[in-house]
Amino acid sequence: MDMDYNGDVGRLDPELLQLNEVSYLAIRSNSNVADKLFDQWLSLPETNALVKSLLNKAKAGTSLNVSGATSSPKSAGNNLVPPLSPRSSSGSPRITKQRAGPSVLGSPLKLITEPVKELIPQFYFQNGRPPPNELKERCLFRCNQFFHGHANGLSLDEFKLVTKEICMLPSFFSATLFKKIDIGNAGVVTRDAFVDFWVNGNMLTKDIATQIFTLLKQPDLRYLTQEDFKPILRELLTTHPGLEFLQSTPEFQERYAETVIYRIFYYVNRTGNGHLTLRELKRGNLVSAMLHADEEEDINKVLRFFSYEHFYVIYCKFWELDTDHDFLIDKENLIRYGNHALTYRIVDRIFSQVPRKFTSEVEGKMGYEDFVYFILSEEDKSSEPSLEYWFKCIDLDGNGVLTRNELQFFYEEQLHRMECMAQEPVLFEDILCQIVDMIKPQEEAFITLHDLKGNKLSGSCFNILFNLNKFMAFESRDPFLIRQERENPTLTEWDRFAHREYIRLSMEEDADDASNGSADVWDDSLEAPF
């Protein structure tokens, strides 16, 4: 049977050929290939036989059972299926599908939909995300207000309002921010220089923790060191009304700043490597404490890091133990801490530098920074840094678990001290059962650091093992202290300890002044913090 085909072959959808051996994309990109393949298909004997058979069946009105064909909407009522032909008016199985609109190629066979190219907005900015126009315009408007009438720029004193009102940073960051912008040491910051650094430098869109981190860190480092905090603490000591009285004693200004820095790194630098990262800064509460210190005139109400009373207690405790005042203490000095509350075995572990390597660089001596870490750990055993500190002390073999033998090793000295003090001794077996009941470890055979964290009684377990005074206090359960804790649940053990000690030390100082007949009697050689 001779067949003539005058259809528009150039518009044939190449996917209809269903040739697995030939790439669909290759056919579509070259219409000549589709023309030749279709002509070749029509010339095949099998094709002629197929078409003749379908035409005969159609004329006879019989059902057409063609593989892969479905009835069209027009022939569905007559139970007819159109032949597989590009010229079929009934359409191909592929063109019976619903269309959103006419084909862009004008093909009666298939709607070809070009893929829609979606533009993905930029999500990474090397120097930070640029500020939205509205935020940028609002900031520029404020800049114009503060720099109005200062064409030559603002001095450091005048720049403080910009730091606080526009940058929303604590005012004691003013000098640090000023120096970051005034790289030429001109002594003034112009409007354009500030806008270039704060707005165009994308500092405006960063969160406050990232802003502080960027201002404090050295350009070539990705972390903060203790030295990076000294400039803002010097400015805090100069400008804060609650610290004005220290301006006449610069040596204690320096000690106060050191103590604040040591406390910051104790609580915030969780890795303990002296490199405070942005992640650690964001996870800690330092930023909120800085903002609180900037707003609160009474520095002693800023309990986190900045309280002068807390510094006073730490320094005086160190001074009491440092009998020769060389700013170093040894084992015999530390054993007197808390009225000989600690055991020799735990003091030996501290001086073995297992929980933390000393910074004093003097063999067998603990420096002031080391003492700060010790006293914060000793007086607040509910904090995670403290739990990690004492866990390392008790973990004799360093395998990450506390076993029965390790607990017994430290409790033996406690038991001996109770016998010497004519107190009724508590056998270790009973103590072990008590500790297990208190901690509820996942495995009763040993205790992990994970078992201790999150348990409010973990600190008492350490006191049982090496602090006799606190062990006895825990056993007696002073109802007055319990009531105090319930009345002020936000205060930590350290806050309560520092408050009690500050009152005691103040009363002792008042008594000494009264006995000497004058508060002006002073021994400069002692360099005491009064």
Side-chain angles (χ1 to χ4, degrees):
M1 176 180 177
D2 295 333
M3 299 181 63
D4 295 330
Y5 182 76
N6 296 322
D8 190 357
V9 179
R11 294 184 180 179
L12 173 67
D13 184 355
E15 190 178 2
L16 289 175
L17 296 177
Q18 300 183 358
L19 297 176
N20 297 330
E21 301 84 0
V22 183
S23 170
Y24 160 69
L25 294 177
I27 297 175
R28 183 176 179 182
S29 63
N30 192 339
S31 61
N32 293 329
V33 176
D35 294 346
K36 292 178 180 180
L37 288 173
F38 188 67
D39 290 339
Q40 185 179 358
W41 179 77
L42 289 175
S43 65
L44 293 175
E46 292 84 359
T47 305
N48 289 331
L50 175 62
V51 174
K52 287 180 181 180
S53 173
L54 292 174
L55 287 175
N56 292 334
K57 289 183 179 182
K59 291 177 181 180
T62 59
S63 175
L64 301 179
N65 296 322
V66 181
S67 175
T70 57
S71 60
S72 69
K74 293 182 179 180
S75 62
N78 299 325
N79 295 324
L80 297 178
V81 178
L84 290 177
S85 172
R87 296 191 60 182
S88 170
S89 60
S90 300
S92 162
R94 296 179 180 273
I95 61 173
T96 58
K97 299 178 182 179
Q98 295 295 326
R99 296 180 174 86
S103 170
V104 293
L105 297 178
S107 172
L109 297 175
K110 180 174 171 62
L111 172 66
I112 305 300
T113 306
E114 292 292 336
V116 179
K117 295 181 179 179
E118 296 184 8
L119 295 178
I120 301 176
Q122 183 177 353
F123 56 87
Y124 173 73
F125 301 88
Q126 184 176 3
N127 298 318
R129 182 179 294 275
N133 290 333
E134 182 181 353
L135 179 62
K136 182 177 180 178
E137 292 300 325
R138 189 163 61 246
C139 182
L140 292 176
F141 177 76
R142 298 295 305 278
C143 290
N144 294 334
Q145 288 182 319
F146 281 95
F147 283 89
H148 179 70
H150 298 85
N152 296 327
L154 299 176
S155 65
L156 178 57
D157 289 338
E158 297 168 330
F159 188 73
K160 289 182 179 179
L161 280 177
V162 175
T163 304
K164 190 171 179 63
E165 299 298 330
I166 296 181
C167 302
M168 308 299 290
L169 292 172
S171 60
F172 50 90
F173 275 78
S174 180
T176 300
L177 177 59
F178 189 91
K179 292 178 181 178
K180 282 281 185 179
I181 302 174
D182 182 25
I183 55 178
N185 296 323
V188 293
V189 168
T190 63
R191 176 195 177 278
D192 292 342
F194 173 77
V195 170
D196 187 59
F197 178 84
W198 192 257
V199 181
N200 299 336
N202 298 333
M203 288 287 288
L204 179 61
T205 56
K206 296 177 180 178
D207 59 88
I208 186 171
T210 306
Q211 291 172 349
I212 289 175
F213 184 82
T214 304
L215 291 175
L216 294 183
K217 78 178 186 69
Q218 299 301 314
D220 56 336
L221 298 179
R222 302 184 65 179
Y223 53 82
L224 299 176
T225 64
Q226 293 186 4
E227 288 294 323
D228 296 329
F229 287 89
K230 289 185 177 180
I232 62 170
L233 285 170
R234 281 196 293 266
E235 188 171 1
L236 177 70
L237 284 161
T238 304
T239 60
H240 199 284
L243 296 170
E244 287 181 354
F245 67 97
L246 277 179
Q247 293 181 6
S248 60
T249 54
E251 66 273 17
F252 294 122
Q253 283 186 321
E254 182 180 354
R255 293 303 178 199
Y256 169 82
E258 288 179 354
T259 307
V260 171
I261 292 173
Y262 298 154
R263 293 182 67 186
I264 288 173
F265 275 77
Y266 174 83
Y267 285 107
V268 184
N269 181 214
R270 301 298 299 111
T271 57
N273 59 359
H275 297 165
L276 199 155
T277 64
L278 176 60
R279 180 189 178 101
E280 290 174 328
L281 182 63
K282 288 183 176 181
R283 295 181 64 182
N285 57 358
L286 175 59
V287 174
S288 60
M290 287 178 170
L291 295 172
H292 186 195
D294 192 45
E295 298 296 333
E296 179 58 62
E297 292 188 1
D298 186 356
I299 197 68
N300 292 318
K301 292 183 179 180
V302 188
L303 301 179
R304 304 286 82 80
F305 311 112
F306 295 98
S307 170
Y308 176 81
E309 291 183 357
H310 290 190
F311 153 72
Y312 185 86
V313 169
I314 293 173
Y315 190 88
C316 287
K317 283 289 186 180
F318 181 83
W319 192 257
E320 289 175 352
L321 300 178
D322 182 20
T323 52
D324 56 1
H325 303 308
D326 61 350
F327 231 64
L328 296 169
I329 58 178
D330 55 21
K331 287 183 183 180
E332 294 304 319
N333 297 139
L334 189 62
I335 202 69
R336 296 188 294 107
Y337 179 83
N339 194 22
H340 296 82
L342 302 175
T343 63
Y344 280 95
R345 290 182 178 180
I346 199 65
V347 171
D348 287 339
R349 288 292 286 174
I350 294 171
F351 275 83
S352 67
Q353 304 183 41
V354 171
R356 182 178 183 272
K357 185 174 178 58
F358 288 169
T359 59
S360 64
E361 298 182 354
V362 178
E363 184 68 26
K365 297 284 188 177
M366 172 188 284
Y368 180 64
E369 179 180 352
D370 308 315
F371 179 78
V372 172
Y373 275 69
F374 160 76
I375 192 173
L376 292 176
S377 299
E378 169 58 23
E379 300 303 340
D380 186 4
K381 295 188 177 75
S382 63
S383 68
E384 285 198 4
S386 174
L387 293 176
E388 294 170 3
Y389 187 96
W390 297 118
F391 186 90
K392 293 176 183 177
C393 287
I394 305 299
D395 186 15
L396 295 174
D397 53 9
N399 64 347
V401 297
L402 306 183
T403 62
R404 170 193 173 98
N405 292 337
E406 289 169 331
L407 301 179
Q408 187 172 11
F409 173 79
F410 286 95
Y411 183 72
E412 283 176 351
E413 188 174 351
Q414 287 280 70
L415 185 62
H416 177 69
R417 296 176 75 189
M418 285 187 284
E419 292 173 349
C420 293
M421 296 174 64
Q423 295 186 3
E424 182 179 356
V426 183
L427 300 179
F428 174 72
E429 287 71 17
D430 298 331
I431 288 296
L432 182 61
C433 291
Q434 184 178 2
I435 291 177
V436 171
D437 290 341
M438 292 166 62
I439 301 300
K440 296 179 174 58
Q442 294 182 353
E443 300 289 340
E444 290 192 4
F446 54 82
I447 298 174
T448 65
L449 182 60
H450 179 73
D451 295 328
L452 295 172
K453 289 184 177 181
N455 191 310
K456 295 181 179 181
L457 299 176
S458 298
S460 299
C461 293
F462 285 125
N463 290 330
I464 291 173
L465 296 176
F466 54 76
N467 190 313
L468 186 58
N469 294 346
K470 292 184 179 179
F471 176 31
M472 295 292 101
F474 174 74
E475 290 294 309
S476 62
R477 301 291 204 288
D478 188 345
F480 176 73
L481 294 179
I482 294 175
R483 186 169 64 253
Q484 275 189 329
E485 293 177 3
R486 291 176 179 174
E487 290 175 354
N488 298 290
T490 58
L491 296 180
T492 64
E493 292 181 16
W494 165 256
D495 296 332
R496 297 186 181 93
F497 166 80
H499 180 68
R500 293 194 304 267
E501 284 299 306
Y502 184 80
I503 293 176
R504 181 185 68 82
L505 292 168
S506 300
M507 294 176 63
E508 288 180 358
E509 181 184 355
D510 292 341
D512 291 341
D513 292 342
S515 62
N516 292 331
S518 173
D520 296 328
V521 177
W522 182 261
D523 185 356
D524 292 335
S525 63
L526 292 181
E527 205 178 13
F530 306 130

